[in-house]
Amino acid sequence: MAIRKQQEQFIHLVRLAWDLRMAGLSATVDLPRGGEPAVLIPGAEGPLKVMVSTQGADWFFTWGRGRDQRVRALDADAFRRVREVAR
């Protein structure tokens, strides 16, 4: 992955983690060596892992494979959708 794309990916994840924090949830940006970066949100059944990727020209937060398990990263309410899923 090109450096610029990785930087954009990181910025989206940090913004999501910050928005979740401001909404009262704990969130950690995980940057594993050799793996995909993600935001981890603690939960009773284990952490919810939210990743960010591009589809065409758009960035999406995803936490599964279904169409209902993603939200556009630049949507103003993206963190609210993720927060709903994390609860």
Side-chain angles (χ1 to χ4, degrees):
M1 184 183 294
I3 296 296
R4 176 72 178 139
K5 189 171 181 179
Q6 288 175 335
Q7 289 172 336
E8 285 185 63
Q9 187 180 38
F10 176 74
I11 290 166
H12 287 300
L13 291 171
V14 169
R15 187 177 45 80
L16 175 62
W18 184 262
D19 288 347
L20 291 169
R21 179 181 182 268
M22 297 306 291
L25 289 179
S26 292
T28 303
V29 177
D30 183 30
L31 301 171
R33 185 148 184 90
E36 281 295 310
V39 167
L40 302 177
I41 305 161
E45 297 179 21
L48 175 66
K49 183 177 184 177
V50 180
M51 297 185 294
V52 65
S53 60
T54 57
Q55 292 181 356
D58 295 323
W59 284 93
F60 286 88
F61 294 122
T62 60
W63 51 89
R65 296 188 179 264
R67 285 211 170 265
D68 62 335
Q69 295 177 311
R70 70 180 191 164
V71 64
R72 288 183 193 275
L74 294 177
D75 283 357
D77 291 336
F79 79 95
R80 287 187 180 95
R81 175 74 175 108
V82 173
R83 183 180 64 188
E84 289 172 11
V85 172
R87 289 187 171 181

